[in-house]
Amino acid sequence: MEGLAEATRRGLPHDALLLAAGLASGRAITSIAADLGVTTRTVLNRKAGVVARLRDLELQLEQAA
C-alpha cells in the first residue's frame, strides 16, 4: 500500500488513521493509548478493525493495478 496518505484519500476516518499511525510506529500499546486518550483495551479492540480496513484497501489497490 502507498501508505496512510492513500488511506486518508480513500476516506479512512481520522481516529482510525491516528491508531494506524501509532501501530505502524512500533510504539507500545500503552503509549498509543495514552496519546489517543483511551485505554489499552480500547486500542486492542479497535486494532483489528483498523487492520482489516487497511487490508481491504490494499486489496483494492492491488486489483486496480
Side-chain angles (χ1 to χ4, degrees), residues 4-37:
L4 295 179
E6 182 63 25
T8 301
R9 285 190 291 277
R10 295 196 175 239
L12 194 68
H14 183 70
D15 60 334
L17 288 166
L18 292 175
L19 178 56
L23 294 169
S25 74
R27 294 187 350 238
I29 296 292
T30 53
S31 175
I32 297 167
D35 288 349
L36 297 176

Side-chain angles (χ1 to χ4, degrees), residues 1 3 7-9 12 18 21-22 26 36 38 40 44 46-48 52 58-59 62 64-65:
M1 183 169 58
T8 301
R9 285 190 291 277
L12 194 68
L18 292 175
L36 297 176
V38 298
T40 56
L44 293 172
R46 292 179 182 171
K47 177 182 172 183
E58 178 68 18
L59 289 173
E62 286 178 8

